[in-house]
Amino acid sequence: MDPAVRLASAVADPIVSQLLLPVEAAPASLKDATTSELLAHLVSFRGENPALSYEGLLSLSQELVELASAAHRLPAVERAPIAVVLSRTLWIIGELDTTDVQAVRLGPQDYARRLRSAVPGADRELTPDAAWFHDRLLVTVCLHLLHHLIRRSPRLAARLPERAHRIRQLIDLNDVEAVRGLEGPGGRPSVEDADFEARYADSVVEQYNRVTIYGIDLPNPNTPDNWSLDATYLSLSAEFDNEGAEERESDEPVLTADRALSGHERVLLRGVAGAGKTTLVQWLAVSTARDALPPELEALRGRIPLVLPVRRFAREGFPAPDDFLTAVRHPLADEAPDGWVARVLTEERALLLVDGIDEAPESERGPLRAALKRLMRIYSGNFCLVTARPSAVEPNWLADEGFDELALAPMNRDQVAAFITAWHTAARNDEGKDHSRLDEYRDKLLASIPLFRELRGLATNPLMCGLICALNRDRSGSLPKGRKELYEAAMEMLLQRRDPERRVLYADAVRLQRAPRERLLRKLAFRMLTEQRAELDMDEALEEIQRSLPAIPSTAGQGGPQAIFRHLLLRTGLLREQADRSMEFVHRTVQDYLAAKEAVEQGAFDLLLAHAHESEWEEVIRMAVAHARPGECARLLTGLLAPGRTGMQRNRRRLLAAACLEHVTELDPETHDRIRRETRNMLRPATVAAARGLGWVGPIVLEMLPDPSTVSDQEAHRLAVTVTRIGDDAAVHYLAQLRNRASLELRAELAHGWRNFDTDHYAEEIIGHLDPEGLYFPVSDRVELAALRKLGGRERVQIVGHFTPDELLDGLVPDQLTHLWLAYDLGVRMDWLSAFPHLTTLRVNPRLPRVTGVPEGVRILS
């Protein structure tokens, strides 16, 4: 029987829930997952002193009939008789010996049949149409009743997972159809919805049009510590990451993220910590809410951005549509019209932005994926962007739901320069006393990054680039080298030196030096690590501080937990308070660094090893190795190699051991040799996807790879895929041994890796030696364009960065160019190509808009 008379859960649940006793009044036996309970004991209208009388049940039945008849032109005269029959049918629940488990196992249709059969002839006075309406409405009421039972009794879902899943799916389908049945002419929003959507759009802009540029902490606590997204947003780059493909040619260009997203309804975006995933989500939300999207994203115009940070609901599970705003604690959650989110999804007007799958514990990602897949199948016409760290989820994690995979590309030199310039421009708005020297700091940093490999390797994402800018300013141009050293210097800057050096001595009554500040922050970070949390509510944070204060003598007499917390919040720049009074660190990487230091301090090595195969613990373990003393370091690394895990978990732990070697300060030779010995054979990747995955291990891989002269062209290509992702001078030396091979696939990979290394050095060692036959040479920035011209130009050139026609006219060699590949939309007519007399072919990436003004005689390929 099809429940063709439908009620959206937003209106049905408040009524149906009154049919059951409150959870606290239900039998204690329900807490036992092995028992069942008679539904007669759970309903609110039976027993000695029922909470709901028969008259109350009749009133609820009348309300259900009235709501359901809205979309069914049911004559008013028939509604009261239907309500009487419905109340008699529901009343019988209290007399049957059906248990809750049996009812869920039956499902809504069969359970409705059982109720009807228990009151034979109850509908004899109804007309045929009214009887039909009653039967279908009864199925819908039973559906909502069973769903309510499952939601309040997790044991039911545990005992009958398939039935529970099916009932949840039916609820979603029912909601979609119920909303469609109530849509107005043309499916346009109601006046109430339209009014709320205008206020919601304003709130999205207000909430997300701010961005913190890391490391600019202001001495005045009343001064804002963030800047307009409009003024500081850097257009990020992305590339398609089709892990299933065995071949990797340069036909998948690096594009700006907005162009890369163009034409895709569903995207899984990967990016390392600090790469700008959340900033991109903010930009999409604000631009959509403002109706200020670029032409490439025209398909998003008019959509409603729904931002869903996973950390907000990681433990509770993916929320139902009508709980979206409540789950993320949106300030307008209580003002949304009933069923608004479900209507937006049903009308296919939503832009879903699910940010940070890696913020959920690994055990919760499977259920999150299942819920997201179910949502996208039911509300199939909505756009969806999901973000995650690269190793947080497996390749093709959502491929069966039509999600394409993108990866945020490292910032190129032009983007790094743009970020550094924007950072120093924003710094002019703070209350520092060195504004007259900001241009000097900027220019010195711009000159230093190309010269120093360590800085070049670190300044490839907004987080680390911002941290480098802050430290450069703080140290008047003297920068530390290496990841751990950068964070140590940041802690010194933020926790010890900044306030005294800026004479901010009396911002509050608390006087704490770096050590106690850091120790308290480490306690908070470690608790969040062990509980696998991305945030703590205020009571939990204060509880942790209260527990820690007696062990830190310097905090004595400084105030209670509230005063200490406010001091840490306002004076360190490392914490952020949300509107709902929860707290989080300004970035997950900062939390990981501090938690790792505390883990080493507490000797929690068994805890680290127990979670070493989980992606969200990788950075913690790397930093723990960096903090650990030699014996502790050996214990951690040998623990990573210990037997007990199998398959992917074992491989991940072993590769993590290899990756940790670059962070080791001192390690006994025996352990070092053992790691190299046990991971050597893992570093002969059999697929391109595996080859890409080795890049995160770092420079230590180079010591274990096979002699390039002994491998086939196919394996040489896979090795090149790995090595071009290791930003180290030694990588160039290894790649130079592959440069003379004829394989076009290999040569294309070597050319594609240019952007990951020092331009001139790579051009001299690799680019200048590649056989140009059939090979397009990619150019991503002005430095590469100049280097290619210095080599005399090439016949085939691929443009994968933003240039103006004048820059290309100056940079390309006119007499050389015969084939030009545009993988980046220049946004102008192509008349200027007439300056290249030998140009025969213009290749345009199909993801880009159609080109115009191409000179006659030039063939266009796409």
Side-chain angles (χ1 to χ4, degrees), residues 788-816:
L788 195 63
R789 183 179 181 89
K790 187 177 178 180
L791 291 174
R794 290 295 185 269
E795 292 183 355
R796 297 170 184 256
V797 178
Q798 181 189 31
I799 304 301
V800 295
H802 180 64
F803 295 91
T804 66
D806 286 342
E807 289 170 335
L808 293 177
L809 288 170
D810 290 340
L812 297 172
V813 179
D815 292 337
Q816 278 280 351

Side-chain angles (χ1 to χ4, degrees), residues 221-502:
N222 298 315
T223 304
D225 61 354
N226 50 45
W227 287 264
S228 164
L229 185 68
D230 297 328
T232 56
Y233 177 68
L234 174 71
S235 183
L236 302 167
S237 297
E239 56 189 335
F240 287 88
D241 193 17
N242 300 315
E243 294 286 355
E246 278 302 300
E247 295 185 1
R248 169 65 185 257
E249 297 184 20
S250 55
D251 59 350
E252 290 291 3
V254 178
L255 304 171
T256 56
D258 51 354
R259 288 175 169 84
L261 292 171
S262 175
H264 298 271
E265 284 194 3
R266 302 178 180 187
V267 172
L268 173 60
L269 179 71
R270 299 176 188 266
V272 299
K277 301 183 293 296
T278 297
T279 304
L280 177 60
V281 164
Q282 289 181 229
W283 178 81
L284 282 170
V286 170
S287 300
T288 305
R290 280 179 167 172
D291 194 21
L293 291 158
E296 292 78 15
L297 297 178
E298 180 68 27
L300 300 183
R301 197 171 302 282
R303 292 187 174 267
I304 305 296
L306 299 170
V307 184
L308 300 173
V310 172
R311 64 181 179 275
R312 296 290 192 182
F313 51 80
R315 292 182 169 273
E316 295 78 15
F318 203 94
D322 284 327
D323 295 328
F324 276 5
L325 299 188
T326 302
V328 302
R329 303 160 208 168
H330 193 280
L332 297 182
D334 294 336
E335 302 177 30
D338 287 343
W340 172 69
V341 173
R343 286 192 292 279
V344 169
L345 291 167
T346 301
E347 295 158 7
E348 300 180 354
R349 297 191 296 121
L351 169 61
L352 285 169
L353 300 167
V354 184
D355 186 30
I357 291 294
D358 51 277
E359 299 281 10
E362 192 159 11
S363 61
E364 299 298 325
R365 292 175 198 165
L368 281 175
R369 176 175 176 264
L372 184 59
K373 289 172 66 174
R374 182 162 55 95
L375 184 77
M376 297 311 297
R377 287 179 182 176
I378 294 168
Y379 303 105
S380 58
N382 295 285
F383 283 71
C384 184
L385 174 72
V386 178
T387 73
R389 288 191 185 184
S391 58
V393 294
E394 299 298 324
N396 302 315
W397 195 62
L398 287 169
D400 55 353
E401 293 304 314
F403 277 76
D404 295 306
E405 295 204 359
L406 275 174
L408 282 177
M411 293 163 62
N412 63 32
R413 278 166 291 266
D414 290 343
Q415 291 170 320
V416 170
F419 183 95
I420 290 172
T421 300
W423 191 98
H424 286 83
T425 299
R428 298 182 189 282
N429 297 320
D430 69 17
E431 297 186 2
K433 306 300 182 184
D434 59 351
H435 289 174
S436 62
R437 300 191 64 189
L438 286 175
D439 287 347
E440 174 191 342
Y441 297 151
R442 178 198 63 206
D443 294 342
K444 187 171 185 179
L445 186 56
L446 289 172
S448 297
I449 285 181
L451 297 178
F452 298 102
R453 179 179 60 82
E454 295 88 350
L455 289 180
R456 227 174 30 247
L458 289 168
T460 56
N461 67 65
L463 172 71
M464 297 304 295
C465 201
L467 182 55
I468 288 170
C469 288
L471 289 169
N472 182 65
R473 179 188 185 186
D474 186 69
R475 294 174 162 224
S476 301
S478 176
L479 282 168
K481 306 296 189 295
R483 193 177 188 87
K484 180 193 172 188
E485 288 76 14
L486 276 174
Y487 278 109
E488 287 286 0
M491 294 303 108
E492 180 185 9
M493 174 183 72
L494 297 173
L495 302 180
Q496 177 65 37
R497 292 175 43 202
R498 177 149 297 221
D499 277 356
E501 290 182 7
R502 296 190 178 189

